[in-house]
Amino acid sequence: MPFASTPTASARASLREASPVPFWLDAPDRPEPRPGLVGAESADLAIVGAGYTGLWTALLAKQIDPDRDVVVLEGETAGHAASGRNGGFCSASLTHGLANGEARFAAELPTLLDLGARNLDQIEATIAQFGIDCGFERTGEIDVATEEHQVGELAEYAELARRYGQEVGWLDRDQLRAEVVSPRYLAGVSEPHGTALVDPARLAWGLREACLQLGVRLYERTPVLALSTDPAGVRLRTSYGGVRAARVALAGNAYPPLLRRIRHYVVPVYDYAVVTEPLTPQQRAEIGWAGRQGLADAGNQFHYYRLTTDRRTGEDRILFGGYDAIYYRGNGFGPQLDQRPATSALLATHLVETFPQLEGIRISHTWGGAIDTCSRFSPFWGTAHAGRVAYVAGYTGLGVGATRFGAAVMLDLLEGLDTERTRLDMVRSRPLPFPPEPVRGIGIDLTRWSLDRADRTGGHRNLWLRALDRLGLGFNS
């Protein structure tokens, strides 16, 4: 039976006292903001954005060359946007899943899988090296079927994964429910090594501290207003000054890009999540989940969910997000879109549909944030201004792990290096651009409607979805 399309009254009631802020950022020990930039400065490398991509770029740049003068400019505070609002699934995948990778980069997928696995190992090593306290757990992930047609789809996925040498396990209904107790579960695919769970804000704050230890200059609450070049370098203009740098890396995620050429490739799509109050011992026992794996259902409009331990009490909560991704016409973007009560109520409804034993549980936090979505659902790169500016964008919601790889590629491109990374077709190619409005909004809404309909009609893909599949634009992750 498909998930409800309208919220229940009890779900709405569970939101009555919810705090409208991201759970991860609601921490009394969050770092104090760094001072903003006042005046003019210079640097070897300037980075725009202090989310994961920008922080990894700064950290890797200093590790490669400790004498390199690196400046990071952040419009809010480090980790304020997508890096502090996601579900904390740190995946080895660089291609937004194996199926999406095979559909778009089949010839080099074995290399991408190897690079992704190494990238996740290097993230773990960096967390250990700098003592980053972000709750890093290599729990793996289970994809679950909640509809009959999804069982066959997951079986096909498991076979695909085995063909590429990936370790996966098939769980029938009883085996899956022995792991996590939900009456909706019909079967699942366990991937024990490809995903770690983290506290995403604390990962960002830890990378921030590591950068500062290595001598990176970070200016927060310093939005960059314009980018220009002259024979002396690249100039970034801010409200009260600016930076002139030999090289610039753009790490703006879904924010309106400084380079016009990127604007046709990325749209901001808003994703929403809720977190429950701490589970009681009885509730915790009734759902099982001893392995603490990350979970995602196999729908086109899928939910992702996980346990997270409350640092203050030691009790577990559940984060439950996804499903109702929203595009606001005209590339709508801004803090006014960070809350969507209808979606929060729907997520609270689906949470209890998944775990009826949690009926009556209250929601403590609700929030949303923008995902930098591109038409191939995985990152793309490029350079501008005679190679002095590099950018990466388009992670489409799977950037917690991939951002480190994205940062390494940007540094290669800025140095003009011929590496295993820069030789990838994934790095050299671009996604198809989105059409201008109003066609853009109509197409995105039609796609979302069609995906929802497919979930409710046994997986049947209508003419519109089949046409997108033929054009290489189908969502397949």
Side-chain angles (χ1 to χ4, degrees), residues 256-317:
L258 292 168
L259 290 178
R260 185 176 297 275
R261 69 181 63 182
I262 307 176
R263 297 175 188 175
H264 304 295
Y265 294 108
V266 177
V267 297
V269 173
Y270 273 75
D271 178 61
Y272 296 90
V274 301
V275 162
T276 69
E277 64 183 342
L279 304 179
T280 67
Q282 179 180 347
Q283 289 170 329
R284 186 67 184 83
E286 287 178 349
I287 61 174
W289 213 343
R292 305 183 65 85
Q293 303 94 331
L295 297 172
D297 60 52
N300 290 307
Q301 296 194 110
F302 63 93
H303 307 89
Y304 56 85
Y305 41 115
R306 57 164 294 185
L307 292 168
T308 184
T309 302
D310 189 308
R311 287 173 172 263
R312 289 161 291 192
T313 66
E315 299 166 303
D316 282 330
R317 299 169 181 253

Side-chain angles (χ1 to χ4, degrees), residues 177-308:
R177 294 183 186 184
E179 292 285 342
V180 187
V181 182
S182 170
R184 295 194 69 97
Y185 292 170
L186 304 178
V189 174
S190 172
E191 300 180 75
H193 303 301
T195 300
L197 297 181
V198 299
D199 179 321
R202 291 185 184 276
L203 175 58
W205 298 338
L207 292 173
R208 173 188 187 270
E209 178 59 29
C211 287
L212 294 174
Q213 290 177 17
L214 295 182
V216 173
R217 286 177 286 145
L218 169 64
Y219 295 99
E220 295 182 304
R221 295 177 176 170
T222 303
V224 176
L225 306 177
L227 179 154
S228 60
T229 57
D230 57 37
V234 184
R235 182 174 179 240
L236 299 172
R237 180 168 60 84
T238 67
S239 299
Y240 302 104
V243 174
R244 189 180 298 278
R247 298 286 186 270
V248 166
L250 300 180
N253 195 263
Y255 278 82
L258 292 168
L259 290 178
R260 185 176 297 275
R261 69 181 63 182
I262 307 176
R263 297 175 188 175
H264 304 295
Y265 294 108
V266 177
V267 297
V269 173
Y270 273 75
D271 178 61
Y272 296 90
V274 301
V275 162
T276 69
E277 64 183 342
L279 304 179
T280 67
Q282 179 180 347
Q283 289 170 329
R284 186 67 184 83
E286 287 178 349
I287 61 174
W289 213 343
R292 305 183 65 85
Q293 303 94 331
L295 297 172
D297 60 52
N300 290 307
Q301 296 194 110
F302 63 93
H303 307 89
Y304 56 85
Y305 41 115
R306 57 164 294 185
L307 292 168
T308 184

Side-chain angles (χ1 to χ4, degrees), residues 18-106:
S19 176
V21 297
F23 172 71
W24 313 113
L25 299 177
D26 188 15
D29 59 342
R30 63 183 299 172
E32 288 295 320
R34 300 279 296 179
L37 175 64
V38 177
E41 295 202 10
S42 62
D44 297 323
L45 173 65
I47 300 164
V48 180
Y52 293 142
T53 299
L55 294 169
W56 278 120
T57 304
L59 183 62
L60 292 174
K62 292 295 282 187
Q63 288 179 319
I64 293 168
D65 180 3
D67 294 327
R68 181 159 20 190
D69 186 17
V70 178
V71 169
V72 179
L73 303 175
E74 164 57 43
E76 295 287 346
T77 55
H80 166 82
S83 297
R85 295 167 184 264
N86 61 82
F89 285 64
C90 187
S91 172
S93 177
L94 305 176
T95 61
H96 209 287
L98 183 63
N100 192 58
E102 188 195 44
R104 302 178 195 283
F105 313 109

